């Protein structure tokens, strides 16, 4: 069997954890399996590298930022290989260039295009454990790229797909995917299974246990994932196309604090204005989520929407520069908001899920500022300070029955 095992930053945070991971990988290897290990940067390394960059230049060139961030993963894989060597087991560490893992050019947000498997196969054939840097790639200019925060999960899935691995295991600091972030909602339950579609919504809406693109890719290539703990042997959560267990009404609650609201005030109530606003943002690669348009009054209306907080400054600047073109009187923004979402395939056939969610928020006195829905999710925008109270109230409403 060929098994891809990915370990996140907290799982390799110090010497003891590195040896713990080495030991688990060696156990798999000694069963006669081929083992490919994907690692993230140790502990909070990536955060620290970003701080260092911003201290030198608050707006660092994206190419150089990727060059810097990629060093975090390179440190982990080299140390891991040294640990395995100390334990007497042959291994080799490889970075994205050595593999080669080809990506698109977008620094900080690159996507995999193609992974060469020859070098990996060659190393596996010589019975080495192959340890590969997560989160990074190489673009057509031969520059280092990164995949966006949390991207090592995507590296693992991409490798599992390219190598036709028999299993892809994501090891982290919790025992699996829960009905809510167990650090915010202590009575959250571990799920035995979850579908790709539900997991994709949860990941996109802020449950960072898996990088959303890793789920997208797993679905596309039919890679079944297991999310489990790097610290114990508890059974984890399986992510797959269809679950065997009867689908619950709600499979999870997610929170996203990386949200900001923009309001474009007093635009003309005529065709084409929404198009002009969102086209401007799309051309700058700025994603928009929840959108709300007010009823027209005296020929004008307001359009509000949310963007990722990291994009706020750029979005506001673009809109201000184009104020006349979009006929806006004023651009307002608020970066003290957060999104709380519920996700579940079961809500498609159950009216009243939205009202139950709103009732739970009303019961704890939380004001809803915006709402968005799809077939399998409902998202509300609230004040950031209310997030934890909202998560618990909504979770209890659906899970404590
Ligand atoms: P890693 O470094 O292993 O990639 P992450 O910090 O990226 O780990 O993801 C794991 C974290 O995701 C957990 O510690 C937990 O706080 C958070 N999390 C958020 N939502 C969920 C959820 N629904 N189930 C499990 N963990 C979640
Ligand atoms: N080290 C990167 C990050 O912190 C990638 C990852 O951990 O998946 O975002
Ligand atoms: Mg992660």
């Amino acid at each position: 069997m060929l098994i891809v095992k990915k370990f996140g930053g907290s799982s390799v945070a110090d010497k003891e954890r590195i040896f713990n991971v080495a030991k688990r990988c060696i156990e798999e290897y000694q069963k006669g399996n081929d083992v490919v290990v994907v690692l993230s940067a140790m502990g909070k390394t990536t955060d620290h590298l970003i701080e260092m960059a911003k201290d030198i230049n608050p707006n660092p060139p994206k190419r150089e930022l990727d060059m810097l961030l990629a060093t975090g993963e390179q440190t982990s894989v080299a140390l891991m290989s040294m640990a395995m060597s100390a334990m007497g087991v042959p291994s080799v560490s490889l970075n994205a260039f050595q593999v080669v893992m080809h990506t698109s050019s977008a620094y900080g947000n690159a996507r995999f295009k193609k992974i060469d498997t020859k070098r990996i196969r060659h190393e596996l054939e010589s019975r080495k454990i192959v340890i590969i840097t997560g989160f990074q790639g190489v673009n057509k200019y031969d520059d280092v790229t990164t995949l966006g925060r949390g991207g090592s999960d995507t590296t693992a899935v991409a490798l599992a797909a390219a190598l036709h691995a028999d299993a892809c295991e994501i090891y982290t600091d919790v025992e699996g995917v829960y009905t809510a972030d167990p650090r915010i909602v202590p009575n959250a339950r571990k799920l035995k299974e979850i579908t790709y579609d539900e997991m994709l919504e949860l990941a996109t809406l802020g449950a960072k246990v898996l990088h959303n693109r890793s789920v997208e890719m797993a679905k596309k290539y039919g890679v079944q994932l297991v999310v489990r703990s790097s610290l114990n042997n508890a059974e984890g959560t399986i992510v797959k196309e269809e679950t065997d267990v009867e689908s619950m009404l709600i499979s999870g609650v997610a929170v996203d604090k990386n949200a900001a609201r923009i309001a474009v005030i007093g635009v003309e109530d005529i065709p084409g204005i929404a198009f002009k606003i969102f086209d401007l943002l799309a051309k700058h690669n700025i994603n928009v989520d929840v959108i709300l348009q007010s009823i027209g009054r005296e020929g004008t209306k307001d359009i509000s929407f949310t963007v990722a907080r990291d994009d706020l400054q750029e979005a506001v600047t673009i809109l201000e520069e184009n104020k006349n073109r979009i006929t806006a009187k004023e651009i307002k923004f608020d970066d003290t908001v957060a999104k709380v979402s519920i996700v579940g395939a079961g809500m498609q056939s159950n009216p009243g899920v939205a009202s139950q969610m709103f009732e739970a928020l009303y019961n704890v006195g939380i004001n809803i500022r915006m709402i968005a829905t799809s077939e399998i999710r409902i998202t509300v925008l609230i004040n950031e300070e209310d997030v934890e109270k909202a998560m618990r109230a909504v979770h209890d409403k659906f899970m404590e029955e």
Side-chain angles (χ1 to χ4, degrees), residues 13 19 83 101 110 162 169 306 313 356 366:
F19 274 105
M101 290 190 273
E169 303 166 351
T306 62
Q313 208 55 52
Q356 284 182 57
I366 292 174

Side-chain angles (χ1 to χ4, degrees), residues 16 23 72 81 158 176 188 218 233 263 274 301 347 388:
E16 194 191 333
K23 185 166 154 275
S81 187
N233 282 319
K301 63 190 174 189
M347 71 172 75
E388 300 191 353

Side-chain angles (χ1 to χ4, degrees), residues 62-90:
K62 288 184 171 170
R63 178 194 181 278
E64 305 308 332
L65 189 59
D66 279 3
M67 188 73 176
L68 179 70
L69 296 190
T71 62
E73 273 65 17
Q74 195 160 325
T75 303
S76 310
V77 295
L79 291 174
M80 184 62 67
S81 187
M82 292 176 197
M84 290 182 185
S85 165
M87 293 168 82
V89 174

